[in-house]
Structures are given as structure tokens and as C-alpha cells.
């Protein structure tokens, strides 16, 4: 009788989920889990802690909009990746699941008062902030961001051992951070943040995100610490228990699979992939063949389990997911190097790979066997860019690398790839590719090295503008935005962004700011809910809130649609709270990526 009631409840729950899915599609991120793997309670409306800032992505070119940000169902590159709507219980009502007696001594337990994976940012970055408001900002942020440097700064913030702000549970706060990192493409960092909470203190929200980080990093074994205590409320955990039993050899998997089929918890390729993972366990005799033919979309479940077992995902399925998965692929060690290299440049442009990591990847390819011809040519050109016997040879190799990229993001990624090769060049006059050489060096933060070219580039050109903005000492400033004379189709846009960046860095006299803003069509004095929220965060010296609000203001499809007035506000705010380096790199990036 109990089994019958359970079965009827599961069927009723599946029907309710199907009915509610269409109505909720425009209100929440689309789940990448297969049907039935995202059964959760809808999130209640957050408590109004403060007026939320606006997203810059839908603004007019002049100023960021005044409407509150909302979680959107899509990103410029496709549907948001993997997480179903998060359950947002109040801090006082957050239940702590029962767990076995803790095995570590009391001094080894980690406090929820300060949670994180690194010391990459000040622990008090959110000191004095209302945690509910901070969570709302993170939850409403559309990622990935157009700025590599802002993404890097945001990753450092979210990964840090932060003091949990008031009004939120530490585990829930870690879940929000890890979920945003996943949407940014930072799968490895997201998993580290989620696992910075002891397993007996994991809340329902963090349990959801924990599963997503395990799948995004293709590590199904990471599900096992929580699988036993997760219950049957979410079908993914039912299958996870079977997976963990197969991996550890603690139980026969065939009866578990039969029970999953009987209860209709999972079927088709989703169950096949789970069986494939079970087959990697002790004393397994399963041989599973994966058939992708009937599959029309990729999910986090399919990506994670296929990658973990060495099953190649058909390339066309990657078109059904967001750009975040591009970075997951580039960071996944289980994916062959040649396949990771296909997306590595785009992942670097997103901020998920450093210049050194990118060079290491291509160097490993050069040392391998059976490398596809295009990748072999790329590796050879990279070698010539570093050790060519003349300036012309090196610059020519870099030019071939830049021109071979097919998308704007990949082209910027190739600049990141060649950054240190460009830094090895001796500055010279009349170098044809000086603009791109300077942009390449600055893409990896080599600002002082790039400044050696200051006397060797065309005055008023792109390289000159980037060097002015990126100068760590300010010695090249004291110039007027009117001195900038870019060429190309985006000339007017570049002028606006250069003026906005120059003004944000404090190099436009205050008495001239309004008039110059009107001249360039940049309403620097305009105010809205976002600018007021940013000003409040600056006034209270909340570096974390400033960075989050900066990301909200720069949400856009690309630098072509970033409001110049928002760039001015962001750079000025970052400088005001001591993030000068980040402000300068974002300013130079604005010119380099147009």
C-alpha cells in the first residue's frame, strides 16, 4: 500500500510539474536537467530589502535603465544553463538535514559565519550589507558578462572566504555564489565554493547547487556525500544513490535500476548514462551503448555523465545550451585536449582561462600525437610567435593566430593567447599591428610592459587610447577625449566609451564633466535606481556590493551595447572603493573589444 501511494504521488508530482512548466518558463531559468530531475518547490517572493538595480543589457545607449532586474529565461547565446528555480526559505526557517554523527573533531568543523574557498578577496566585502539584498542581486544577474576583467574580479569575490552578511544562512549564501559562478562558466570554482560547507550543514538550496556543480565538472562521485540523506523529493538524487552504490560496490546495481524503471524516475539516455557511470564501479559487468540519435537537447545531467565516462557529446547539442557550457567544456579534464582547444579561446575571453593556461593547453597539443591539422597549425604559429627569428616572423605568426578566429570572442581569446609573446617584443616605431599588440598585452594584465610602447604608437589611435587608460601611474594622462581619433565602423562608439572611461578614471575636470558628456552623447549626470544603489554601496565602502552592482550595470549582449554612462559609473565606483587595477583593465578592454 505504501509503495502504491508513493507511486501515485510521483505520477501526480510529474503531472503538476508539466502543467506548471509553461506558466513559469518566462519567470525562471530553464533547467538543463531532464524532465523529472528538477522537482522543487517554487521560490517565494524575496523580502524587499532594497530597491534592486537595473540591468544594462536592455538600456538605451545613453544610460542604464531604471527598472528592477529580473531573472531572464535566456542569454544572448541561448537558454540559461542548468539549475531549476532555487528554494528560498527564510534564514530562520532553513532546515538542516539530519546527518550521521560528525567524524571530525569540533575544531576541524567549518563555520557558516565565514564560507569560501580562497583568500582572493577581503573577508568583509559585504560588511554592513543586507544579505537578502545581496542574494537578490546575484540571483538576478544575467551571465556571462561582456567584460573579461569584470568577470575575473567577480570570480575572485565569489570564491573568497567571505563573512556571511546579515539576514541569510551561510550555506544558502554559498549556494547563491556557486550558482552565479556556474552561470558565469566557472564550474571548478563553483564546486569549490559549494563544498566549502560541511556536508551535515548543507541546506536544500545548497543541495540543489551541489548537484549542478558536480555535473558541470563531470564529477558524479561528488554527489555521493549528499546522496544518502537527500531523500526522494528530487528524482536526480534517487538516481544518484544508485550511481554511488555502483561506484563504491556497496550494493547490486541491477535491482536499483529496476526500481528506478518501475517508479519511472528516469529512462532513455538519462538512465543509460547513469548506468554507464555505475559500470565504472567495482566488479561491474555492465556494457552500455549510448544512442544520441533521439536526443534533441543537452542537459547538465547528460553533459556531466557523458563527459565523466568519456562519451562524446554530439557538437550540434551544444547549440541548445548557454555560453556558460563553453567554459565548462574548456575546464573539464575528462574532455580530450583537441576538443577543449576548440572552445578554449572563447572561454578565455569570458575570463574562465588565463593566458598561461591557454598557452599550456596549446603547448600540450603540440607535444601530442594525431593532432588535427588546424590545431597543429595554431600550435606552430604560437611557437613562432614566441621564438621566431625576427620581429616580422613573430608579428606575422601572431597576426595569423588573430585572423584565424571566427568570432569576436575567439579573436579576443587569441589576443589573450599571444599576450606574453607580444610582451617579449622590443618596442619599435611603425609596427603595423601595434594596436593589437598593445591590446594583447593588456588582455593578460601586462600593463607596465605595454607602457613601453607609449612612444612608438600613433597618437590618437587605439593603442594610444588603451595605454592612456591602462597606465598604472597616470603619467600618460592629462589628455582630452577629443584627442582620440579612432578609425573603423565603431569609431563613434569608441569615442563615447573612451570619454566615459577617462571620466570614470577622474581625468575629466569636474567643471567640464557635464558639458563634455553632452558633447559626446554620454549622460554622465543621469540618475536612476541603479546609480543610487551604486552610490550607496560606495558610500559604505562595500567592495562586494560595488562589484555586483557593476556587473548588473554592464549586463549586455556585448561591448557594442554597453551603455557608456554605465561604464563611467562602474569605473568611478571601482576606483572609489580601491579597485583601481580592475577599473583600468575594464577601461582598456572597452576599446580593445570593439
Amino acid at each position: 500500500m505504501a509503495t502504491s501511494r508513493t507511486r501515485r504521488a510521483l505520477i501526480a508530482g510529474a503531472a503538476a510539474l508539466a502543467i506548471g512548466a509553461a506558466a513559469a518558463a518566462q519567470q525562471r531559468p530553464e533547467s538543463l536537467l531532464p524532465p523529472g530531475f528538477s522537482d522543487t518547490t517554487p521560490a517565494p517572493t524575496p523580502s524587499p530589502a532594497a530597491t534592486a538595480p537595473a540591468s544594462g543589457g536592455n538600456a538605451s545607449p545613453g544610460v542604464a535603465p531604471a527598472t528592477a532586474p529580473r531573472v531572464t529565461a535566456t542569454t544572448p547565446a541561448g537558454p540559461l544553463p542548468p539549475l531549476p528555480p532555487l528554494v528560498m526559505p527564510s534564514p530562520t526557517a532553513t532546515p538542516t538535514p539530519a546527518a550521521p554523527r560528525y567524524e571530525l573533531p569540533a575544531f576541524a568543523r567549518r563555520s557558516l559565519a565565514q564560507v569560501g574557498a580562497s583568500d582572493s578577496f577581503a573577508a568583509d566585502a559585504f560588511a554592513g550589507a543586507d544579505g537578502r539584498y545581496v542574494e537578490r542581486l546575484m540571483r538576478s544577474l544575467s551571465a556571462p558578462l561582456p567584460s573579461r576583467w569584470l568577470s575575473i574580479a567577480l570570480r575572485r569575490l565569489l570564491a573568497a572566504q567571505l563573512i556571511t552578511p546579515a539576514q541569510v544562512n551561510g550555506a544558502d549564501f554559498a549556494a547563491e555564489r556557486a550558482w552565479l559562478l556556474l552561470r558565469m562558466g566557472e564550474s571548478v570554482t563553483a564546486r569549490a565554493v559549494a563544498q566549502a560547507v560541511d556536508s551535515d550543514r548543507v541546506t536544500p538550496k545548497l543541495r540543489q547547487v551541489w548537484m549542478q556543480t558536480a555535473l558541470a565538472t563531470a564529477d558524479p562521485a561528488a554527489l555521493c556525500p549528499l546522496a544518502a540523506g537527500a531523500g526522494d523529493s528530487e528524482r536526480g538524487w534517487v538516481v544518484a544513490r544508485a550511481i554511488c552504490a555502483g561506484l563504491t560496490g556497496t550494493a547490486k546495481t541491477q535491482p536499483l535500476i529496476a526500481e528506478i524503471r518501475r517508479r519511472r524516475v528516469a529512462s532513455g539516455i538519462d538512465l543509460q548514462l547513469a548506468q554507464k557511470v555505475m559500470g565504472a564501479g567495482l566488479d561491474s559487468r555492465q556494457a552500455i551503448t549510448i544512442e544520441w540519435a533521439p536526443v534533441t537537447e543537452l542537459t547538465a545531467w547528460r553533459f556531466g555523465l557523458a563527459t565523466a565516462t568519456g562519451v562524446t557529446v554530439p557538437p550540434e547539442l551544444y547549440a541548445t545550451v548557454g555560453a556558460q557550457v563553453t567554459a565548462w567544456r574548456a575546464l573539464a579534464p575528462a574532455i580530450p585536449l583537441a576538443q577543449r582547444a576548440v572552445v578554449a579561446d572563447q572561454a578565455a575571453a569570458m575570463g574562465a582561462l588565463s593566458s598561461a593556461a591557454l598557452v599550456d593547453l596549446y603547448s600540450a597539443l603540440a607535444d601530442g600525437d594525431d593532432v588535427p591539422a588546424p590545431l597543429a597549425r595554431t600550435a606552430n604559429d604560437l611557437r613562432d610567435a614566441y621564438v621566431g627569428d625576427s620581429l616580422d616572423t613573430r608579428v606575422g605568426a601572431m597576426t595569423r593566430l588573430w585572423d584565424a578566429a571566427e568570432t569576436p570572442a575567439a579573436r579576443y581569446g587569441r589576443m589573450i593567447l599571444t599576450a606574453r609573446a607580444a610582451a617579449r617584443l622590443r618596442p619599435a616605431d611603425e609596427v603595423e599591428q601595434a594596436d593589437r599588440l598593445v591590446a594583447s598585452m593588456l588582455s593578460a594584465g601586462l600593463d607596465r610592459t605595454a607602457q613601453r610602447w607609449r612612444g612608438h604608437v600613433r597618437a590618437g589611435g587605439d593603442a594610444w587610447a588603451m595605454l592612456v587608460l591602462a597606465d598604472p601611474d597616470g603619467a600618460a594622462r592629462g589628455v582630452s577625449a577629443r584627442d582620440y581619433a579612432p578609425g573603423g565602423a565603431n569609431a563613434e562608439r569608441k569615442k563615447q566609451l573612451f570619454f566615459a572611461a577617462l571620466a570614470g578614471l577622474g581625468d575629466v575636470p569636474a567643471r567640464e564633466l557635464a558639458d563634455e558628456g553632452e558633447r559626446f552623447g554620454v549622460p554622465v549626470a543621469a540618475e536612476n535606481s541603479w546609480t543610487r544603489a551604486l552610490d550607496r554601496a560606495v558610500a559604505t565602502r562595500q567592495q562586494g556590493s560595488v562589484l555586483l552592482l557593476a556587473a548588473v550595470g554592464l549586463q549586455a549582449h556585448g561591448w557594442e551595447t554597453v551603455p557608456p554612462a554605465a561604464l563611467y559609473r562602474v569605473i568611478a565606483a571601482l576606483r572609489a572603493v580601491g579597485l583601481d587595477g580592475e577599473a583600468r583593465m575594464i577601461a582598456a578592454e572597452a576599446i580593445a573589444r570593439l
Side-chain angles (χ1 to χ4, degrees):
M1 181 66 69
T3 302
S4 177
R5 285 198 300 270
T6 301
R7 184 174 182 183
R8 287 199 300 272
L10 285 170
I11 295 172
L17 180 65
I19 293 170
Q26 300 303 318
Q27 316 298 328
R28 65 187 187 188
E30 180 178 335
S31 171
L32 283 187
L33 288 174
F37 276 88
S38 57
D39 292 353
T40 59
T41 304
T45 303
S47 302
T51 301
S55 163
N58 299 320
S60 61
V63 64
T67 56
R70 300 176 62 184
V71 178
T72 57
T74 59
T75 63
L80 278 175
L83 197 62
L86 299 180
V87 178
M88 302 294 175
S90 65
T92 57
T94 298
T96 301
R101 184 177 180 84
Y102 205 75
E103 297 179 357
L104 293 178
F107 71 84
R109 301 194 68 178
R110 293 174 290 186
S111 170
L112 294 181
Q114 185 170 344
V115 179
S118 72
D119 57 357
S120 55
F121 220 90
D124 61 351
F126 291 107
D130 187 319
R132 295 168 298 179
Y133 175 58
V134 174
E135 285 191 346
R136 184 181 177 188
L137 288 179
M138 289 191 284
R139 199 156 55 240
S140 64
L141 184 59
S142 181
L145 299 170
S147 170
R148 162 181 163 82
W149 283 105
L150 185 55
S151 294
I152 291 172
L154 194 56
R155 178 189 65 209
R156 290 175 48 236
L157 168 69
L158 298 173
Q161 294 182 2
L162 298 175
I163 297 172
T164 302
Q167 307 300 323
V168 294
N169 175 277
D172 286 347
F173 190 58
E176 293 285 3
R177 290 155 56 188
W179 172 220
L180 177 52
L181 284 163
L182 277 177
R183 301 195 325 263
M184 292 168 57
E186 299 284 354
S187 54
V188 176
T189 307
R191 184 179 65 174
V193 172
Q195 295 182 357
V197 176
D198 291 339
S199 58
D200 66 332
R201 290 179 169 173
V202 169
T203 58
K205 186 201 299 188
L206 181 55
R207 187 170 63 240
Q208 286 183 311
V209 179
W210 188 298
M211 173 175 280
Q212 299 303 313
T213 63
L215 296 173
T217 53
D219 184 12
L223 300 171
C224 297
L226 301 187
D232 291 353
S233 60
E234 300 172 28
R235 300 184 182 187
W237 288 108
V238 176
V239 184
R241 283 198 293 275
I243 289 175
C244 294
L247 290 175
T248 59
T250 56
K252 297 285 187 180
T253 58
Q254 292 303 326
L256 296 174
I257 294 170
E259 180 67 8
I260 289 171
R261 285 200 178 103
R262 187 185 66 79
R263 295 171 58 187
R264 300 181 183 178
V265 172
S267 61
I269 193 171
D270 303 308
L271 184 55
Q272 292 172 11
L273 287 169
Q275 291 178 266
K276 188 83 170 177
V277 177
M278 296 176 204
L282 298 172
D283 300 323
S284 173
R285 298 178 180 177
Q286 297 188 68
I288 304 297
T289 300
I290 304 300
E291 296 290 343
W292 290 102
V295 179
T296 58
E297 65 175 346
L298 186 62
T299 67
W301 185 267
R302 294 163 186 171
F303 170 82
L305 300 192
T307 301
T309 53
V311 176
T312 301
V313 176
E316 61 271 15
L317 290 182
Y318 285 115
T320 67
V321 294
Q324 300 87 345
V325 182
T326 297
W328 299 0
R329 294 167 65 190
L331 292 170
I335 295 179
L337 283 176
Q339 295 179 29
R340 293 169 61 189
V342 172
V343 294
D345 299 327
Q346 297 179 60
M350 293 165 58
L353 285 179
S354 68
S355 175
L358 206 53
V359 171
D360 287 346
L361 189 152
Y362 280 104
S363 298
L365 273 175
D367 295 335
D369 298 326
D370 299 325
V371 180
L375 291 178
R377 286 194 296 270
T378 299
N380 290 336
D381 284 337
L382 183 61
R383 182 182 60 248
D384 290 342
Y386 272 89
V387 298
D389 55 7
S390 68
L391 176 64
D392 289 342
T393 299
R394 294 185 181 186
V395 174
M398 283 186 263
T399 302
R400 288 193 297 274
L401 288 170
W402 299 330
D403 292 343
E406 297 179 354
T407 66
R411 282 192 288 274
Y412 190 64
R414 288 295 175 88
M415 289 185 177
I416 298 166
L417 174 66
T418 59
R420 282 171 173 77
R424 291 163 61 94
L425 298 179
R426 186 186 301 275
D429 294 337
E430 299 181 358
V431 175
E432 184 178 354
Q433 300 292 342
D435 290 346
R436 294 206 276 185
L437 289 171
V438 169
S440 180
M441 286 181 272
L442 294 178
S443 71
L446 305 176
D447 50 357
R448 293 193 179 278
T449 302
Q451 292 299 322
R452 298 182 305 157
W453 286 79
R454 194 165 57 207
H456 302 275
V457 299
R458 178 178 69 84
D462 286 347
W464 170 87
M466 287 183 280
L467 292 172
V468 166
L469 297 174
D471 185 5
D473 301 320
R477 295 186 188 144
V479 301
S480 170
R482 304 183 190 187
D483 298 331
Y484 182 34
N490 292 321
E492 289 303 314
R493 182 73 175 172
K494 285 184 177 181
K495 287 180 182 180
Q496 287 184 321
L497 293 177
F498 180 72
F499 164 75
L502 205 62
L505 292 170
D507 289 314
V508 177
R511 64 180 181 277
E512 301 175 8
L513 187 59
D515 290 342
E516 288 294 288
E518 185 176 352
R519 173 187 177 87
F520 286 96
V522 182
V524 292
E527 292 187 358
N528 53 42
S529 60
W530 173 70
T531 63
R532 288 188 289 272
L534 192 58
D535 290 343
R536 287 193 297 270
V538 169
T540 53
R541 304 290 296 178
Q542 293 177 15
Q543 283 189 331
S545 297
V546 167
L547 261 179
L548 279 176
L549 287 162
V552 169
L554 292 192
Q555 292 177 109
H557 291 263
W559 278 101
E560 298 83 359
T561 55
V562 169
L567 180 64
Y568 157 69
R569 294 280 188 172
V570 165
I571 291 175
L574 293 177
R575 287 184 60 247
V577 294
L579 300 175
D580 300 73
E582 289 81 355
R584 290 186 290 103
M585 290 299 100
I586 293 170
E589 182 186 4
I591 304 300
R593 299 190 70 168
L594 277 180

